[in-house]
Amino acid sequence: MASLDLWKTSGHFDFYKEGMFDQMEVEGAEYQLKPMNCPFHVLTFKDTPKSYRDLPLRWAELGTVYRYERSGTLNGLFRVRGFTQDDAHIFCLPEQLEDELVDVLVLFQQVLTKFGFTDYEVMLSTKPEKAVGSDDIWEKSTAALEGALKRHGWEYSVDEGGGAFYGPKIDLKIRDAIGRLWQCSTVQCDFNLPERFEIEYTTADGEKERPIMVHRAIFGSIERFFGVLIESTAGDFPFWLAPTQLRLLPVSDDFLPYCREVVAKAKAAGIRAEVDRGGRSLGKQIKLCAKEKVAVYGVVGKEEVEGSLLSLTSRKGGDLGQMTLDSALGAMVAAVMTVGQGILTGHETVDAWFGGVKAMLFAMIVLVLAWALSDVTADLNTAAYLVSILADSLPPPLVPVTVFLLSAITAFTTGTSWGTLGILMPLVVPLTWAVLGANGM
């Protein structure tokens, strides 16, 4: 909460009073539950003198806010009276604005893609009839937003006059599994708060100027976003996000010590693992894994214990066969490390490719280790599992190359004829170029 005077200075008390809870008296002064995080970041900026050399400044927080909603409008996680925003504010020079906006759009795509959201509706909203700020700054800011969208390669619609009174904005709505659109990410220019709080920086000529302020939120409301995610996936999360990534099902209590050892190693590697509590038949344990949407489960019996093996089944990939413990954990770690990497536009494409190459090399190292530590069957199982993981996580042009390289290593370690791979090679190269062309690379 903060003093009511803060919300009067920011303009929220005048423009947003209906969405705020009533004030409360504390030691003779009026205080207000905060409906926004923005004024606090402005006060942080104002706390010390700023030079043009200090800009851009970027501050972010997970801040809980409280907004009055009528009881009839409340709806689970989708509409609540207290929620947490992933709020960030950028203070920059006018000439820095477009580059900052491009970086924000790249961040939007990078984060949302990791959660499986790739279908967006993007809207650019321009100056309304009632607005603060000069026409010149509105035109330059709107042009920067439009330029950022074009540089990022996103298609968008224009909502003429639909901007906030304090500045133009880009709103991004995500489409869930059944086609519903949800307000999610937003980036907005603000000419109101810098003026109201009289924040300024010193230019290269020694003059005082107002910085451009940008509001940025990726999820918007964390609660609403996860409500959308849960409904869109029906609780069947991807491996990296699954609450239980690995559950071990011992055939009898005699194998519990090995299961506990495996779980300890898995947790040390960052995998969320557990042992079934027992007291049920193996069939019921497997049925419970399906009901609770466990990402991967492993049946543990005498053969697994004696050979330090795991017999794994993936909820989405089916039977993965038998693997050595080290190769199985390595494959799971690789699945987490490479999540969500794909073809991105803008300068992030380079980062995605670099990450993809690292993932590919990591997968090959895991495969070589599997060969050194296990038999031929485990080699083939590990190769197949890594290919299935990387097919969803690498930039598309790297997939056929990765398949060929993993196949080549598998051929070397298992004695498969190079003639067989020679037959496949003419298919791999055209496929690679076809994917490159499809992605406009």
Side-chain angles (χ1 to χ4, degrees):
M1 71 174 68
S3 167
L4 182 61
D5 292 338
L6 178 71
W7 306 107
K8 290 181 177 180
T9 301
S10 69
H12 287 97
F13 187 76
D14 296 325
F15 291 98
Y16 199 72
K17 186 176 181 180
E18 292 182 358
M20 299 163 66
F21 282 99
D22 288 339
Q23 298 75 49
M24 63 185 75
E25 186 175 314
V26 179
E27 296 180 348
E30 286 191 294
Y31 280 78
Q32 176 74 55
L33 285 173
K34 65 172 182 173
M36 309 279 185
N37 297 307
C38 323
F40 300 95
H41 288 192
V42 177
L43 290 179
T44 303
F45 182 96
K46 192 175 181 179
D47 189 55
T48 57
K50 300 293 187 297
S51 162
Y52 71 96
R53 295 187 183 92
D54 298 320
L55 305 183
L57 282 173
R58 310 179 189 95
W59 289 318
E61 70 168 309
L62 292 174
T64 302
V65 296
Y66 304 91
R67 299 179 184 176
Y68 174 71
E69 300 281 358
R70 290 173 297 171
S71 58
T73 65
L74 300 178
N75 180 20
L77 289 175
F78 301 113
R79 193 149 189 167
V80 293
R81 287 172 171 163
F83 57 93
T84 301
Q85 287 186 310
D86 60 321
D87 242 345
H89 295 94
I90 302 168
F91 300 89
C92 64
L93 306 175
E95 58 268 26
Q96 296 170 333
L97 179 58
E98 186 171 318
D99 287 339
E100 290 297 312
L101 292 171
V102 170
D103 287 343
V104 168
L105 297 183
V106 167
L107 182 62
F108 286 172
Q109 182 170 359
Q110 189 177 35
V111 173
L112 295 177
T113 299
K114 289 184 183 295
F115 288 93
F117 294 109
T118 57
D119 188 4
Y120 320 124
E121 184 175 285
V122 183
M123 182 72 69
L124 170 64
S125 300
T126 61
K127 185 178 182 180
E129 288 187 13
K130 294 182 178 180
V132 298
S134 66
D135 289 340
D136 180 61
I137 194 65
W138 269 88
E139 290 173 6
K140 288 180 179 178
S141 298
T142 303
L145 288 168
E146 193 166 12
L149 285 169
K150 289 178 179 177
R151 283 172 57 184
H152 192 60
W154 272 352
E155 294 184 0
Y156 61 94
S157 302
V158 178
D159 180 12
E160 296 289 352
F165 74 91
Y166 51 77
K169 61 179 181 174
I170 295 172
D171 288 326
L172 189 151
K173 295 180 180 180
I174 56 176
R175 194 180 304 275
D176 66 16
I178 61 174
R180 294 176 300 181
L181 288 171
W182 296 91
Q183 174 64 48
C184 186
S185 308
T186 186
V187 56
Q188 308 174 0
C189 296
D190 190 337
F191 317 128
N192 176 55
L193 292 183
E195 191 67 35
R196 282 180 170 268
F197 283 91
E198 299 181 345
I199 62 173
E200 56 191 18
Y201 66 92
T202 304
T203 68
D205 298 328
E207 302 294 327
K208 299 293 185 182
E209 296 286 350
R210 300 266 187 256
I212 299 290
M213 181 177 179
V214 177
H215 302 260
R216 183 276 287 162
I218 304 171
F219 301 120
S221 162
I222 301 292
E223 290 81 357
R224 181 176 59 195
F225 179 82
F226 277 95
V228 174
L229 179 66
I230 290 168
E231 285 211 349
S232 189
T233 61
D236 193 4
F237 298 119
F239 179 80
W240 73 274
L241 193 59
T244 303
Q245 294 173 317
L246 172 65
R247 179 180 291 173
L248 299 181
L249 315 179
V251 175
S252 77
D253 290 349
D254 295 338
F255 309 121
L256 279 174
Y258 176 71
C259 290
R260 294 189 181 110
E261 177 187 337
V262 171
V263 166
K265 288 186 176 181
K267 288 183 176 179
I271 302 299
R272 293 183 289 278
E274 64 185 28
V275 183
D276 187 274
R277 64 180 179 82
R280 292 181 286 261
S281 67
L282 181 60
K284 288 184 178 179
Q285 291 182 59
I286 293 173
K287 187 177 293 185
L288 187 63
C289 285
K291 181 180 178 181
E292 295 181 354
K293 298 179 173 63
V294 174
V296 176
Y297 68 83
V299 176
V300 177
K302 182 178 180 181
E303 185 178 354
E304 285 76 21
V305 172
E306 291 179 349
S308 292
L309 303 172
L310 287 177
S311 297
L312 299 178
T313 300
S314 166
R315 176 170 173 79
K316 297 185 178 181
D319 184 14
L320 303 176
Q322 208 171 60
M323 301 183 190
T324 65
L325 173 58
D326 289 337
S327 62
L329 293 181
M332 293 180 194
V333 171
V336 173
M337 287 177 62
T338 59
V339 64
Q341 291 176 354
I343 293 299
L344 305 178
T345 55
H347 62 266
E348 194 63 22
T349 301
V350 177
D351 294 337
W353 269 78
F354 182 61
V357 172
K358 287 193 295 184
M360 184 171 63
L361 292 175
F362 181 84
M364 287 189 282
I365 291 171
V366 171
L367 188 57
V368 172
L369 288 174
W371 165 66
L373 298 172
S374 65
D375 57 21
V376 170
T377 303
D379 270 345
L380 294 173
N381 286 331
T382 304
Y385 186 48
L386 286 171
V387 168
S388 69
I389 291 172
L390 294 173
D392 290 330
S393 58
L394 286 172
L398 287 182
V399 172
V401 178
T402 305
V403 172
F404 174 75
L405 291 176
L406 290 177
S407 301
I409 293 176
T410 305
F412 175 74
T413 59
T414 61
T416 303
S417 168
W418 274 95
T420 303
L421 294 176
I423 295 173
L424 296 176
M425 188 61 182
L427 301 176
V428 172
V429 174
L431 178 59
T432 301
W433 287 109
V435 177
L436 284 170
N439 285 278
M441 301 294 292

